[in-house]
Amino acid sequence: MTAYEMSAFEMNVDGLVGPTHNYGGLSYGNVASQSNCQAVSSPKEAAKQGLAKMKALMDMGFKQGVLAPQERPDVATLRSLGFTGSDAQVIQKAAKGAMPLLVASSSASSMWTANSCTVSPSADTADGRVHFTAANLNCKFHRSIEHPTTSRVLQAMFASEKHFAHHPALPAVSQFGDEGAANHTRFCKGYGDAGVEFFVYGRSAFDSRYPAPQRYPARQTLEASHAVARLHGLGKAGVVFAQQNPEVIDQGVFHNDVIAVGNGEVLLYHQDAFLGTDKVLAELGEKLARRGGNFQAICVPASAVSVQDAVRSYLFNSQLLTRTDGSMLLVVPEECKSNASVWRYLEQLTASGGPIREVRVFDLKQSMQNGGGPACLRLRVALNEQELAAVNPGVLMSDALHDTLVAWVDKHYRDRLSEADLADPQLLTECRTALDELTQILKLGSVYPFQIA
């Protein structure tokens, strides 16, 4: 490893679960989300489970950041849909006349930070800055309202114009449906080296020759992936576009990160993940080789792990991380250990002598029941030393920040939350009080609508 490589890092930015975490069953195509619809949630437990994972990774030596949750319920959205009166009256009218809209406007889905944006490190971009494009998440109403606040929070975290460039979300139409880093992976020899950015799409919006799923929607379009690559100034030598297998989308694989995970020079993927797999792997290998890397693809055969077991366990919605000794660690949810075929495969994988040497299991039940595993909860941001020094220090995890955030959660979050509780106007007051304090803890300034108005 060269001195330059040692001076570059991958920071995991995890979404802090918001006070309105609930099981609204809002995500059609996400089996876990739909199957747990209207169950009683625990916002307090959910936030603490996420914080425990953040601290554990920090303790292992990984760079760890925190992304603040959003203001919910989103009263401005409800007003735009015709509900009038005071904030309390808007909530009560929505609860009485259009409860699904109140549920959608109360979702804590911004916790899944992998969907917040797409990030390209400075080693890949034409202007030598780290580029962020907020995802429009146009496929789901409850997520499509996130990107304005997401952009403000990201700009407060990565504020230096010398080091960081921020792009607004793509046009909010289905032809440019963009789901962020959940369909984006970067391969590289070292985090400071030029890499190959891998964009996976579910359909083409304008070319009918591409196949498409028949049961569930393909959320990411080829056109959106091309647009993000252009905005980030990525050259053809450093990008690969691949289509997700429509048949697995129809089995509940709503994002690529539910069927494949990559890091460094390694891609762990299910054999049914892509169309034209051999061609895709060859292009990744050739382009990474030109940048000094040695691409390693690990295929998980369907005979070992079915698509159904992959979706149930979220095997591929795991975090693949590189330790300081160069070995790789796979962070998985407990559901992987309780699935016999998945756990058998993981034991064989770590014993095989390959790059993935260890598996760490975390309890993320609150997130998993809503359809999000370890990889959903985090955004990967590769930074060199100068860029890391330019990050807002208030969002960088430490022992002190962890303890402060746990105490903050204990102070502000409810133990239980049902759909009926969303009709309580006091929940909005609780959320705003908590977030106002959080912006001071994380040193974000005014990023929420209630602070800006």
Side-chain angles (χ1 to χ4, degrees):
M1 184 175 286
T2 67
Y4 182 65
E5 290 171 328
M6 291 174 64
S7 65
F9 315 91
E10 181 181 72
M11 182 170 74
N12 291 281
V13 178
D14 278 44
L16 183 58
V17 180
T20 61
H21 164 65
N22 70 91
Y23 297 130
L26 297 168
S27 190
Y28 182 66
N30 182 327
V31 176
S33 172
Q34 292 180 275
S35 62
N36 290 293
C37 180
Q38 296 188 335
V40 176
S41 67
S42 175
K44 184 176 291 186
E45 182 181 27
K48 286 186 173 182
Q49 286 175 348
L51 285 167
K53 179 172 79 75
M54 293 185 227
K55 185 177 188 302
L57 294 184
M58 180 201 72
D59 288 342
M60 284 186 261
F62 296 105
K63 307 296 182 186
Q64 181 68 56
V66 182
L67 187 85
Q70 305 220 352
E71 176 188 347
R72 292 294 181 267
D74 189 333
V75 177
T77 291
L78 293 173
R79 289 186 187 280
S80 74
L81 298 174
F83 298 100
T84 59
S86 66
D87 289 346
Q89 288 171 330
V90 165
I91 292 168
Q92 290 168 339
K93 288 178 181 178
K96 184 177 180 180
M99 190 63 183
L101 294 182
L102 177 59
V103 173
S105 300
S106 301
S107 175
S109 52
S110 66
M111 63 195 274
W112 297 304
T113 314
N115 299 119
S116 64
C117 65
T118 303
V119 186
S120 293
S122 58
D124 298 350
T125 62
D127 66 0
R129 293 188 293 171
V130 183
H131 282 247
F132 299 80
T133 294
N136 61 27
L137 299 170
N138 196 59
C139 186
K140 303 296 177 187
F141 168 66
H142 69 287
R143 302 222 61 180
S144 69
I145 61 178
E146 293 176 12
H147 66 83
T149 295
T150 296
S151 291
R152 288 193 297 271
V153 173
L154 287 172
Q155 289 170 10
M157 296 170 67
F158 303 95
S160 169
E161 292 185 6
K162 177 182 178 182
H163 297 292
F164 308 117
H166 295 272
H167 305 280
L170 298 178
V173 293
S174 62
Q175 290 88 344
F176 291 98
D178 178 24
E179 299 281 311
N183 292 309
H184 173 265
T185 308
R186 179 177 185 259
F187 300 100
C188 57
K189 182 178 181 181
Y191 292 125
D193 294 321
V196 176
E197 301 198 21
F198 184 42
F199 293 84
V200 180
Y201 59 93
R203 68 182 179 94
S204 170
F206 299 120
D207 193 335
S208 61
R209 292 174 297 176
Y210 289 83
Q214 300 302 306
R215 182 183 182 189
Y216 292 136
R219 304 185 185 185
Q220 183 83 24
T221 67
L222 171 62
E223 292 78 6
S225 297
H226 277 297
V228 172
R230 285 192 294 269
L231 286 168
H232 291 194
L234 305 180
K236 290 184 178 180
V239 294
V240 172
F241 300 93
Q243 183 167 7
Q244 193 174 359
N245 183 350
E247 293 183 3
V248 300
I249 295 177
D250 281 337
Q251 294 178 68
V253 180
F254 52 98
H255 289 140
N256 179 61
D257 68 4
V258 181
I259 202 70
V261 58
N263 171 51
E265 299 171 307
V266 176
L267 171 66
L268 178 70
Y269 71 101
H270 192 276
Q271 75 169 64
D272 296 329
F274 312 111
L275 291 182
T277 302
D278 291 344
K279 183 179 178 181
V280 169
L281 298 181
E283 186 179 359
L284 285 169
E286 290 167 7
K287 288 187 172 179
L288 189 59
R290 294 194 195 109
R291 300 200 160 188
N294 177 29
F295 182 65
Q296 302 173 65
I298 303 172
C299 177
V300 181
S303 58
V305 178
S306 67
V307 172
Q308 291 78 11
D309 279 338
V311 171
R312 290 190 198 104
S313 67
Y314 270 30
L315 164 62
F316 295 96
N317 197 249
S318 53
Q319 289 179 254
L320 186 57
L321 306 167
T322 301
R323 290 185 174 278
T324 53
D325 64 2
S327 67
M328 289 194 182
L329 164 72
L330 196 67
V331 172
V332 303
E334 279 189 347
E335 285 75 2
C336 283
K337 193 168 186 178
S338 60
N339 186 299
S341 64
V342 169
W343 194 246
R344 186 183 311 114
Y345 175 78
L346 287 173
E347 289 182 321
Q348 294 169 353
L349 178 68
T350 53
S352 67
I356 302 174
R357 305 290 176 83
E358 183 183 358
V359 173
R360 285 287 185 99
V361 180
F362 284 85
D363 177 6
L364 298 167
K365 184 179 179 181
Q366 287 289 321
S367 176
M368 286 288 290
Q369 286 183 333
N370 232 352
C376 282
L377 286 163
R378 69 92 172 90
L379 177 72
R380 306 165 71 163
V381 185
L383 302 166
N384 61 37
E385 284 185 335
Q386 293 75 26
E387 292 155 357
L388 182 61
V391 174
N392 179 344
V395 302
L396 299 178
M397 183 56 71
S398 63
D399 288 331
L401 178 58
H402 171 266
D403 293 346
T404 298
L405 291 176
V406 169
W408 174 80
V409 169
D410 281 332
K411 177 181 177 182
H412 294 289
Y413 281 47
R414 297 188 183 190
D415 288 308
R416 293 167 56 85
L417 196 67
S418 67
E419 182 177 286
D421 294 326
L422 301 178
D424 178 8
Q426 181 60 29
L427 185 62
L428 175 62
T429 301
E430 292 172 12
C431 184
R432 287 177 171 172
T433 300
L435 294 181
D436 199 42
E437 186 176 321
L438 181 66
T439 54
Q440 298 172 54
I441 294 171
L442 300 180
K443 300 178 175 62
L444 294 175
S446 298
V447 293
Y448 295 111
F450 75 89
Q451 295 175 319
I452 298 169

